[in-house]
Amino acid sequence: MPKATSISPGPRRRWSRWLPLGLAAILLAVPACSDSKPDEPGKPAATGNATGGIPAPPRAEPISVRELPLPPVAPSDDPGACTAAVNPHHTGCLAGRGGFQSGGYLPDGKSVTARVTFAGAPAAPDPASVYSGSQLIIVRTDGKTFAGGDAWKCLTCGVPAANAVSTNQAMDYPQPFRDGKRVLFGTNILDCGEHPLADEACTPAETHIYPIRWENTADGSGKGGSLRELRIHPDDVHLGFSSFTIGNGRFGQFAYLGRLEFDPAPTTGTPLAPRYDVVKVTRLFDPADTQPMSVDASDPATLVYDRDALSVGELRGFSADGKEVTYIGYPEESSNIDVFAADLTTGKVRRLTANPEYVDPIDLSPDGNWTVAMDTRGSDRQMFLAAMRDVPPITDMVTTSATSSTRNNGMRRFFQPILIDRYGDRGDYQGQRINAAGDGSPGSVNDPNWNGMADPRWSPDGTAIVYWQALATSPACGGENPLPCETSTAQGGRTYRMMIAELTSRGPAPAPKVAPISDDVPWGVKYVPGSAIPSRPHVPAGTYTVTGARGGSAKVEVTESADKVAVETVAVAYTDFTNDGVSTLNGTEKVTVTVPALTTSKVDWFSDLTQTVRAKDGTTTTNTKKSSPDGFHLTIDVLTNIFEATGTLTTTIDGKAYRQPANRT
C-alpha cells in the first residue's frame, strides 16, 4: 500500500508497527464542511446525520467571562509600600508589571493556582515581610474567601528554609496534582503532606518544596538535565517535559516522559537533599521510525509525506484520561503550525487544530470532547504565510522554526482563547472565541490589546476555563510602533489579569479516574543517562518527485548545508498538483534557511504559486502566494520573536490579500 502524500482535510491513519495492518484504527480529524444541522451548544458533536461520518459542528454556546480577584497592587516596589491602607489584611501586594502566570485548578474546582510577584513588603521581622518576590498562590473562583478574608492564599510565603532546601528558581506552569495536596511548579513540587492545599491546616510549617532532578550522566553526578515546559500526567505519577538540544551548531528540542520518584536521602548527584527524581525516562522520538518527509524506500527518486508519522516537537500536555500526549507537530499544510495528540500506547495520531493561524497553548477537556486553545486566529498574523490551504509541507523541511517564530512581537502575543470540539476545524466551523462578547473598549473582556498567554485550563467538571492575559506594553506598542499603548484599567494599573469563562449551558462532565500508566511508550526510545542525543533524520540532497494523490506532481530539489547536518534549501515546482481533486497548484517556491547564530534563522524565500479551487457549482477561484521580485528575506530569533524582514510575501485568497506584519510590530 503506497504512503499517502495528501495533506487535505480527512481522516488520519497510522499503520502501527506494533499492530497487524488490519487492526490499525482511523482517527477523525479535519473533515470537510458538513451540510447537516449543527449540534446543540455545549454538547459533544453526534455522529449521526453527518457528511462522511463526521458530525456537524456544534452551535455557539453561551459563555460568561469575568476577572478573578488578585492581591492589590503596591504603589511602588519600595520596602513598606504595601501598607495597611493598600492591603488591610497584611497579606501582600503585587508588582504591577510582569512576574505572573495562572495555572490549573485544584481538584475541588473552587480554586486555581497562580505564580505572582509580590512587591513593597515591609522589612523583617514584620510578619508581612514574607510576601515578597516570586511566590505561588491559589485563588478562589467561586466568589468566596479563605479564612483570613482574602480570595487568595499564598502557598510558598513563609515556608521555612529547612523545608525548601535547594529549591529551583523556575516557578512557571503551576499545576496541582489530582490528590489536591501537591503542586508542580517550574522544576519543583510543593507538598503539604496530609493536608489539602486549600485547607487552613496547610500552613507554611506543614509545607515542603522539593526540587526535581533528571539524571543525565552515566555515573549519576552533576545537577541533572535541563527540563522545560513540564506537564504533570493525570495519574499523578508520570511527568512530561521538553528539553533543548544543541548539536552541530543548531538549536533543537525533544520531548520526554518519565516517572516521578521521591528520594528522601539521595547519595549521588546534586542537590544532596530530598528531591523528586525523574526515572524510567522515554524520549518521544525514534530515529528509526517513519519521518514526516522521507525518501520512498521503494523508489529513491520519490519523496513522500507521511501524515501519520510521530513528529513530536514541544510537549504541550496530556488528555484528561491520560491516554494521549499533546504536542506541536510537523505541519500537515505548508507553514501551518498545529497541535496534535498521539496515543501513548499505539502511536495513533490525531490533528487537534487546522486553522492556518498559529496555535500553541492548549488543554483538553475532562470528558475528552473539547479543546481550548490559545490561537492567533482572527488576528491575520500568520495568514501571509499559511492562508493558502492544501499546500504540501515540503518547504517546511527548513521553515518551521522561522514560521512559528513570527507569531509574536516580542512579549506581545496575538492569542485569544478558542473553544473547538474534538473533531476540529472544518468548513465554516473554526471554533468559538471564548471572550467574543464585549464592546472592545479598554479593559473589556475582548479588548484586543489584552492578549492570551499560556496556559488555559479546564475546571475538573468541564464547566469553566481559566486563562490569563497580558496587556501590550512598550516597546510592543508606542514609540515607533504604530500600536498606541493603552492605559490599564485593571486595579493598580496591572498589566496582567486572570479570567474565568463559565460555560453556562453545560452540566458537569468530570474526567475519569486515571490509574498509573505504563512506564513504557512503545513508539519512543528508552533514555540512557549519558547517552548521545540523536539527530532528527533529514532528506538528503537530491532531486525528487512528489505525486499528487489525485493528479499532477511536484519536482523537489533538496540542498544540504555544507556540513551535511541539515537541509538548507528546498526548491519546488508544482505542475497541476492536486491531492483532493478540488484545488490545483502550479508554480514555484524556493526557500533557503541559514543559521547565523544558535537561535537565529535567516530566511530567503521566493514564491510564485497559483492555486485554482473548483467549487461544487463548477465555478473557480484563483489564489496566489507571491514574494516580491527580489524575494522575501526574514531574520528572526526563536527566543525573542522580533519580526525583521526586507522584501514582501503576500498570500491572496478569494481576492483578499494577506500581507506580512510591519517590522517590529
Side-chain angles (χ1 to χ4, degrees):
M1 182 177 186
K3 294 182 179 180
T5 58
S6 170
I7 50 82
S8 59
R12 292 185 61 89
R13 297 174 175 85
R14 177 166 181 79
W15 306 126
S16 174
R17 55 186 171 133
W18 306 278
L19 295 175
L21 184 64
L23 296 182
I26 297 176
L27 289 181
L28 302 176
V30 193
C33 181
S34 170
D35 294 326
S36 59
K37 294 180 179 180
D39 287 293
E40 295 181 28
K43 291 188 177 181
T47 56
N49 300 320
T51 301
I54 305 302
R59 291 200 300 266
E61 61 183 287
I63 302 176
S64 176
V65 180
R66 58 185 169 88
E67 186 174 351
L68 289 174
L70 291 172
V73 173
S76 75
D77 294 342
D78 296 337
C82 182
T83 63
V86 181
N87 185 347
H89 293 156
H90 303 280
T91 51
C93 298
L94 300 183
R97 296 185 64 165
F100 179 87
Q101 185 178 43
S102 73
Y105 275 88
L106 271 62
D108 63 5
K110 298 177 181 179
S111 302
V112 67
T113 54
R115 174 178 64 91
V116 301
T117 301
F118 283 106
D126 191 306
S129 64
V130 299
Y131 297 99
S132 179
S134 293
Q135 304 286 352
L136 182 66
I137 69 171
I138 50 178
V139 178
R140 298 285 303 219
T141 62
D142 59 359
K144 298 181 179 180
T145 62
F146 292 101
D150 292 321
W152 55 85
K153 172 187 175 181
C154 186
L155 297 178
T156 53
C157 299
V159 173
N163 291 8
V165 178
S166 300
T167 300
N168 291 318
Q169 186 175 3
M171 299 183 70
D172 52 351
Y173 300 103
Q175 303 158 64
F177 286 70
R178 290 192 176 189
D179 62 17
K181 301 171 184 177
R182 294 177 293 165
V183 180
L184 168 74
F185 65 110
T187 50
N188 306 284
I189 291 176
L190 180 144
D191 189 329
C192 209
E194 296 301 315
H195 308 296
L197 298 169
D199 196 286
E200 295 305 315
C202 181
T203 63
E206 295 293 319
T207 300
H208 290 77
I209 302 174
Y210 304 110
I212 300 172
R213 182 180 183 274
W214 170 35
E215 187 80 273
N216 71 334
T217 57
D219 62 359
S221 63
K223 63 180 181 179
S226 177
L227 305 95
R228 65 181 304 271
E229 298 281 351
L230 285 69
R231 300 294 188 275
I232 187 68
H233 188 273
D235 68 0
D236 276 4
V237 173
H238 289 85
L239 178 73
F241 61 95
S242 298
S243 185
F244 285 143
T245 64
I246 299 174
N248 299 314
R250 283 170 165 77
F251 196 63
Q253 182 173 219
F254 287 107
Y256 298 83
L257 178 75
R259 172 182 283 264
L260 286 167
E261 275 190 2
F262 182 67
D263 188 343
T267 58
T268 60
T270 57
L272 290 176
R275 71 191 189 211
Y276 276 89
D277 290 327
V278 189
V279 300
K280 299 182 179 179
V281 175
T282 298
R283 183 184 289 116
L284 301 180
F285 168 75
D286 185 352
D289 204 355
T290 303
Q291 302 302 307
M293 297 297 305
S294 62
V295 178
D296 192 335
S298 62
D299 182 1
T302 299
L303 192 64
V304 292
Y305 168 65
D306 185 353
R307 67 199 304 264
D308 299 309
L310 283 152
S311 58
V312 180
E314 186 168 278
L315 187 143
R316 301 311 302 160
F318 301 96
S319 58
D321 62 8
K323 294 180 180 179
E324 294 179 308
V325 60
T326 59
Y327 59 92
I328 302 171
Y330 189 88
E332 280 203 14
E333 300 171 279
S334 187
S335 301
N336 187 355
I337 307 297
D338 285 312
V339 178
F340 301 82
D343 190 288
L344 285 166
T345 301
T346 67
K348 292 186 295 185
V349 178
R350 62 189 178 105
R351 185 182 184 186
L352 299 179
T353 61
N355 185 282
E357 286 287 350
Y358 181 91
V359 63
D360 184 346
I362 68 155
D363 194 28
L364 302 187
S365 65
D367 64 4
N369 286 319
W370 301 87
T371 298
V372 58
M374 284 295 179
D375 198 301
T376 63
R377 64 184 69 184
S379 70
D380 290 348
R381 181 75 180 180
Q382 301 289 99
M383 297 293 275
F384 79 103
L385 290 166
M388 183 179 286
R389 310 300 300 274
D390 302 322
V391 178
I394 297 173
T395 57
D396 300 77
M397 286 188 279
V398 295
T399 61
T400 51
S401 291
T403 54
S404 63
S405 299
T406 61
R407 68 190 185 275
N408 300 336
N409 173 31
M411 289 305 296
R412 186 188 181 198
R413 276 29 175 185
F414 294 84
F415 288 143
Q416 294 297 343
I418 308 294
L419 183 66
I420 310 166
D421 80 351
R422 73 167 285 118
Y423 298 94
D425 304 305
R426 55 200 187 273
D428 292 334
Y429 175 70
Q430 299 294 301
Q432 178 180 351
R433 180 170 165 180
I434 286 172
N435 60 338
D439 59 10
S441 62
S444 62
V445 297
N446 64 339
D447 179 349
N449 285 341
W450 282 92
N451 299 134
M453 310 292 281
D455 275 355
R457 291 296 179 194
W458 286 91
S459 65
D461 66 358
T463 63
I465 297 164
V466 163
Y467 63 98
W468 71 285
Q469 296 176 307
L471 183 66
T473 57
S474 179
C477 61
E480 296 181 359
N481 192 306
L483 175 70
C485 288
E486 182 180 303
T487 300
S488 174
T489 60
Q491 186 275 324
R494 260 191 293 109
T495 58
Y496 52 87
R497 63 186 187 183
M498 185 160 53
M499 313 295 287
I500 183 171
E502 294 168 312
L503 311 178
T504 56
S505 66
R506 297 194 180 196
K513 293 183 178 180
V514 178
I517 62 170
S518 171
D519 295 324
D520 297 321
V521 181
W523 47 269
V525 173
K526 283 295 182 183
Y527 172 76
V528 178
S531 60
I533 298 172
S535 297
R536 293 186 184 269
H538 67 273
V539 175
T543 300
Y544 306 94
T545 297
V546 176
T547 303
R550 298 290 296 274
S553 63
K555 179 183 177 182
V556 181
E557 294 184 17
V558 174
T559 304
E560 292 175 288
S561 57
D563 53 11
K564 297 188 181 300
V565 298
V567 175
E568 187 170 278
T569 301
V570 177
V572 190
Y574 294 98
T575 303
D576 297 331
F577 184 96
T578 180
N579 275 324
D580 57 9
V582 175
S583 61
T584 301
L585 193 60
N586 285 281
T588 60
E589 197 159 33
K590 180 179 180 180
V591 186
T592 298
V593 177
T594 54
V595 185
L598 184 62
T599 60
T600 301
S601 294
K602 181 179 181 297
V603 183
D604 299 304
W605 198 316
F606 296 84
S607 185
D608 187 8
L609 298 180
T610 300
Q611 182 186 61
T612 303
V613 182
R614 188 179 72 254
K616 290 182 178 179
D617 62 5
T619 60
T620 59
T621 301
T622 300
N623 304 321
T624 61
K625 182 177 182 180
K626 294 182 179 293
S627 60
S628 53
D630 57 345
F632 169 70
H633 307 281
L634 170 71
T635 300
I636 196 161
D637 188 303
V638 298
L639 299 182
T640 58
N641 309 136
I642 304 297
F643 190 94
E644 290 282 1
T646 60
T648 62
L649 183 61
T650 304
T651 298
T652 303
I653 306 295
D654 294 335
K656 181 176 180 178
Y658 296 98
R659 296 180 172 85
Q660 70 211 55
N663 288 345
R664 308 188 73 81
T665 67

